[in-house]
């Protein structure tokens, strides 16, 4: 148990030492097992522990998304997880990566400045081999620059990785990362001064039986405008807020491009199968349950959605929407946005 000495006790102890009443051998060093971290005042920490924890949580989500996308793209089992999140100088980061390597300079719009995405050579050439139809077995470490074709292939992989990065950062900022260029020599990727502090996210990528590292290096000066948002309370409150409005807009945007089959039904009648088998070219089927003046029913997928009337646009047959069929679930789900007078 640690005991704190009072000022009187300290004075008495000093007096005893100075008078020779106490020998130095009587004082034994305290066995202190505490870990001591050296602090460099020339290089103060820029990120708090909470901010680093938030960045780690964001990139755990990024790792899960990248695991799925790379597994689909490479057609093999890929596992990505966050190995560490640290803050250091940019010079220390540059010195820690091999030469040559795959260095992607990333524009962090709308933030000012760039970031760096580094993929270790052993992982780079496994990805390239898989996309070229190989098994991914590169036969050991490959240490050379990328060819023009290989660099083009890596651009496609990095663009997909950046899409995952954008989604992982959604709760903090609408980040739109864009690939600027790919370098193989770290000396040509000086995006900030060497002594500038950066946050380094190291991820381990395992492809089959092979494993390697991918690093995301983001300078403090780049994310300084949103540092206040890198807190646990803000991050999780943003997750709850975004689940109602933000994702709804994204879903609408994605669904608007989905192709659906539309069918205009003139009418229907029950016919015995033997009559259907005996039908010949020129036969007439009388629809006794509909009239010529009745509107047609336009079905989208397997749902009857609109009333329409037939016509011709140019030399093509068409139908014009004249009304909407009342849906029992209209209050629960948003209807298709076709309006009266639209031509299909």
């Amino acid at each position: 148990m640690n005991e704190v000495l009072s000022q009187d006790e300290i004075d008495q102890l000093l007096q005893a030492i100075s008078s020779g009443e106490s020998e130095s051998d009587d004082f034994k060093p305290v066995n202190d097992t505490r870990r001591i971290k050296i602090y460099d005042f020339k290089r103060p920490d820029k990120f708090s522990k909470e901010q680093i924890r938030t960045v780690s949580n964001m990139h755990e989500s990024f790792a899960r998304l990248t695991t799925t996308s790379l597994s689909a793209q490479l057609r093999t089992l890929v596992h990505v997880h966050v190995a560490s999140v640290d803050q250091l100088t940019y010079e220390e980061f540059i010195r820690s990566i091999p030469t040559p390597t795959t260095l992607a300079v990333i524009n962090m719009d709308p933030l000012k400045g760039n970031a760096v995405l580094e993929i270790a050579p052993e992982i780079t050439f496994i990805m390239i081999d898989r996309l070229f139809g190989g098994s991914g077995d590169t036969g050991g470490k490959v240490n050379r620059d990328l060819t023009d074709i290989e660099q083009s292939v890596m651009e496609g992989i990095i663009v997909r990785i950046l899409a995952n990065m954008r989604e992982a950062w959604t709760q903090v900022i609408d980040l739109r990362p864009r690939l600027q260029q790919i370098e193989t020599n770290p000396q040509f990727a000086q995006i900030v001064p060497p002594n500038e502090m950066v946050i380094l996210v190291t991820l381990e990528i395992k492809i089959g039986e092979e494993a390697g590292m991918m690093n995301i290096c983001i300078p403090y000066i780049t994310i300084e405008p949103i540092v206040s948002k890198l807190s646990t309370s803000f991050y999780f409150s943003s997750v709850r807020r975004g689940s109602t409005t933000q994702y709804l807009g994204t879903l609408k945007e994605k669904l608007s491009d989905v192709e659906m089959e539309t069918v205009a039904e003139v009418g229907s009648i029950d016919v015995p199968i033997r009559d259907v088998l005996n039908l010949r070219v020129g036969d007439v089927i009388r629809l006794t349950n509909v009239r010529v003046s009745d509107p047609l029913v336009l079905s989208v997928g397997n749902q009857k959605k609109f009333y329409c009337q037939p016509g011709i646009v140019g030399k093509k047959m068409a139908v014009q929407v004249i009304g909407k069929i009342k849906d029992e679930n209209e209050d629960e789900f948003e209807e298709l946005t076709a309006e009266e007078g639209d031509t299909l």
Side-chain angles (χ1 to χ4, degrees):
M1 178 177 179
N2 295 330
E3 183 177 352
V4 179
L5 299 178
S6 66
Q7 186 61 45
D8 291 339
E9 291 172 330
I10 295 174
D11 293 338
Q12 292 176 6
L13 181 61
L14 292 175
Q15 186 178 1
I17 294 175
S18 61
S19 63
E21 296 178 2
S22 178
E23 299 294 335
S24 59
D25 293 340
D26 296 338
F27 299 96
K28 297 180 179 179
V30 178
N31 184 18
D32 194 346
T33 59
R34 292 176 298 175
R35 296 181 61 186
I36 299 175
K37 178 181 178 182
I38 299 176
Y39 187 85
D40 187 356
F41 286 92
K42 296 180 181 178
R43 202 194 73 181
D45 291 342
K46 297 285 190 177
F47 302 93
S48 66
K49 290 182 178 180
E50 184 183 19
Q51 290 166 348
I52 291 179
R53 191 179 304 113
T54 302
V55 172
S56 179
N57 291 336
M58 291 164 51
H59 286 87
E60 287 287 356
S61 174
F62 166 78
R64 290 191 294 271
L65 294 169
T66 305
T67 294
T68 303
S69 63
L70 286 182
S71 296
Q73 189 173 15
L74 301 179
R75 302 181 303 280
T76 189
L77 183 61
V78 178
H79 180 68
V80 183
H81 75 274
V82 177
S84 64
V85 179
D86 302 296
Q87 54 180 322
L88 63 162
T89 63
Y90 188 68
E91 183 180 17
E92 289 173 331
F93 163 66
I94 291 297
R95 288 181 177 179
S96 67
I97 57 179
T99 303
T101 187
T102 303
L103 277 172
V105 179
I106 309 302
N107 180 277
M108 299 289 281
D109 186 59
L111 299 175
K112 297 184 184 298
N114 299 324
V116 170
L117 174 68
E118 188 262 339
I119 304 176
E122 55 268 26
I123 292 299
T124 296
F125 288 101
I126 290 175
M127 292 178 177
I128 291 173
D129 188 68
R130 288 291 307 177
L131 291 177
F132 283 172
S135 62
D137 184 7
T138 57
K141 293 186 177 180
V142 182
N143 187 14
R144 62 173 175 82
D145 291 336
L146 297 175
T147 66
D148 291 342
I149 295 177
E150 289 171 342
Q151 184 168 319
S152 178
V153 170
M154 286 306 299
E155 286 179 1
I157 294 175
I158 292 170
V159 167
R160 180 170 292 195
I161 291 175
L162 294 183
N164 299 331
M165 185 177 181
R166 176 179 183 178
E167 187 169 347
W169 281 68
T170 300
Q171 308 306 330
V172 175
I173 185 175
D174 183 16
L175 191 66
R176 297 183 294 275
R178 298 194 311 273
L179 174 62
Q180 281 194 342
Q181 63 192 51
I182 292 180
E183 299 287 352
T184 56
N185 190 333
Q187 300 303 320
F188 296 119
Q190 294 292 338
I191 60 173
V192 289
N195 60 346
E196 179 67 32
M197 293 298 295
V198 300
I199 189 164
L200 180 65
V201 181
T202 301
L203 302 106
E204 184 179 15
I205 302 179
K206 188 172 183 181
I207 305 176
E209 298 299 324
E210 302 293 332
M213 295 297 180
M214 178 172 68
N215 293 304
I216 301 175
C217 174
I218 309 173
Y220 174 80
I221 194 172
T222 299
I223 60 175
E224 184 178 10
I226 61 167
V227 163
S228 60
K229 297 182 180 180
L230 298 178
S231 63
T232 306
S233 58
F234 181 89
Y235 178 75
F236 286 106
S237 64
S238 298
V239 171
R240 290 191 292 270
R241 290 198 304 269
S243 62
T244 55
T245 58
Q246 183 177 357
Y247 292 137
L248 181 60
T250 303
L251 286 173
K252 287 182 179 178
E253 181 182 353
K254 297 297 183 182
L255 290 174
S256 64
D257 294 330
V258 176
E259 294 184 358
M260 296 291 292
E261 181 183 22
T262 55
V263 176
E265 183 180 305
V266 177
S268 62
I269 187 174
D270 294 331
V271 178
I273 187 65
R274 58 176 175 272
D275 293 343
V276 174
L277 295 175
N278 292 328
L279 286 176
R280 297 293 181 268
V281 176
D283 289 349
V284 176
I285 300 176
R286 185 182 297 274
L287 302 176
T288 57
N289 58 342
V290 294
R291 294 173 298 188
V292 176
S293 58
D294 290 344
L296 308 184
V297 174
L298 184 66
S299 297
V300 179
N302 59 354
Q303 299 293 322
K304 296 180 179 180
K305 291 294 181 181
F306 305 103
Y307 294 114
C308 58
Q309 60 185 12
I312 296 176
V313 176
K315 296 183 179 180
K316 296 183 178 180
M317 299 179 63
V319 292
Q320 184 180 45
V321 176
I322 59 174
K324 183 184 294 186
I325 298 176
K326 179 66 176 179
D327 192 343
E328 295 179 356
N329 297 325
E330 190 173 29
D331 295 334
E332 299 180 17
F333 301 99
E334 185 176 354
E335 294 296 303
L336 294 173
T337 55
E339 300 292 340
E340 185 175 339
D342 287 352
T343 302
L344 303 174

